[in-house]
Amino acid sequence: MSVPVITIPTDKLVQFGLHIADTIHYQLPPDELVRHCLRRGEGVLNDTGALVIRTGEFTGRSPKDRYIVKDEITADAVHWNDFNQPIDQIYFDKILSRITAWLNHLPEIFVRDCYVCADPRHRLNIRVINENASTNLFAYNMFLRPTDKQLEHFQPDWHILSAPGLRLDAAQSGTRQHNAVVISFRHRLILLAGTGYTGETKKAIFTILNFLLPREKNVLSMHCSANKGPKGDTAIFFGLSGTGKTTLSADPGRRLIGDDEHGWTSDNIFNFEGGCYAKCINLQEDKEPEIYHAIRPGALVENVKFFQGTDQINFEDGSITENTRVSYPLTYISNALEPSVGPIPKNIFFLTCDAYGVLPPISRLTPGQAMYQFISGYTAKVAGTETGITEPKPTFSACFGAPFLPLHPGRYAELLGKKIKEQGVKVWMVNTGWSGGPYLKGSRIRLSYTRAMITAALEGALDNVDYETHPVFGMAMPATCPGVPAAILHPRSTWPDPSAYDEMAGHLADWFISNFEKYGKGVSEEILAAAPKK
Ligand code: ATP
Ligand code: MN
């Protein structure tokens, strides 16, 4: 058997003005990349052999510094807003030449070929060019990994140039400040400058897929996790950051399809990525065993601290950021499905972390309510403890992913609505947030209860129980659920003072209603009828 020779793909690199005389580390396996990281001082190993790094100034995405080049492809197609900010071609050219100059002055760079979309009909090849070895490892972990055979004829569709060490001159670059993520659909190029937060890489790719798939392939792209049950039924879990997509999709009783980004075609759903990017804050072995055990050689852990004088991670320490993370290939989850493709979903869960303790821990939605909730995209953000802010903040993010959606939210909502109706999909809303009162007064719903409620819904155990309609929000709340005390199923009865509950429910209803005003004209009567009743 002949072993294919992997050659460094210099032709395209030269096109961007990159010199290739210096050292290019191409397609290194993870163990070699880790050695380079250690040599370069990018990180250290913990006691279980994972690489632990700090991402520097940025420990989260910076949505205000994300731009899309306004050109003949995007001008009329992109829904320009606070997340989809236009930037002129002239500035793109300037930033590109700054990045290539920056990469050219480095003694070494890391190049990797990978792809996204597990369904071969929608596969997109990506070449990642990194200043850092650890960001290259992130690409290995998170994207799909071509075989040696596939590399022989690999043609990149898109390129990512990543230069975390470069500080842009904002005035000259047409940017807000020294860091930026710039996407050009015409050049099929993503520029990352001044930020070392690895998550920018994955969410930039997600953004381009959210543009290309619905427009060119009639595929609904979704910010959701997905898994498949022993009977072959698929479930998907939509939700904003911190609502439980990654945690709840890692279910020992079901095969993991993917933890964050999926496409829904006419005959299947498929994962865009090849890895998981899980939160580590307060990670406990008994509560989230799959994620805990994925922290091993090859995994990349970000912004955690060790117990003093040891190489043991203190998962409770959020002093660098509450957004501590680990990336690892999907294969690190023992029951991950390969390839990451599943049948059309039978159940959809909308996850919300309601810090006001108003929404029921699980409820069933009609198609109209489902569309209303999808377009609203509600969750609440609880401020990090270190800032001293004690009030939660309501967040509405259309389609549970507005920062990543270049098209008008109506495009995605219409596709989802059609699919829910045509396929008769059951839609559930799950509050993974507070019960018994708001943040600081009540408490977060136990993860074991949330898991039990989801299992019950998936196994049909909620199909023939009594339901009560929520008086304000209208969703159907089951009166009983196996494995869960009935007393927690109706949120009002968990509050010590039910009239305080009613008052809070009224506030939340007001926020929903005023957020929805901007969509009012464009949606059907059926959807409008699902608005909260005051
Ligand atoms: P992102 O889009 O940022 O990746 P995500 O939706 O994947 O976010 P998770 O990483 O799953 O969110 O985060 C959920 C967090 O909330 C985890 O740290 C989990 O341990 C914690 N948690 C606590 N209680 C619950 C609950 N009842 N249900 C789900 N998660 C819970
Ligand atoms: Mn996640």
Side-chain angles (χ1 to χ4, degrees), residues 480-532:
T480 55
C481 174
V484 180
I488 72 157
L489 293 172
H490 193 319
R492 189 173 190 267
S493 55
T494 65
W495 284 48
D497 174 4
S499 66
Y501 174 85
D502 296 336
E503 197 183 319
M504 191 60 97
H507 291 312
L508 186 59
D510 285 340
W511 296 328
F512 264 87
I513 291 164
S514 72
N515 169 67
F516 211 82
E517 274 165 11
K518 54 184 174 284
Y519 305 114
K521 286 209 179 70
V523 304
S524 68
E525 276 303 310
E526 185 194 12
I527 297 174
L528 283 178

Side-chain angles (χ1 to χ4, degrees), residues 240-247 279 288 325 432 444-445 450:
L240 291 161
S241 188
T243 56
K245 292 183 299 301
T246 300
T247 299
K279 285 193 214 314
E288 298 180 68
R325 293 271 182 170
T432 63
R444 193 154 181 193
I445 292 159
T450 300

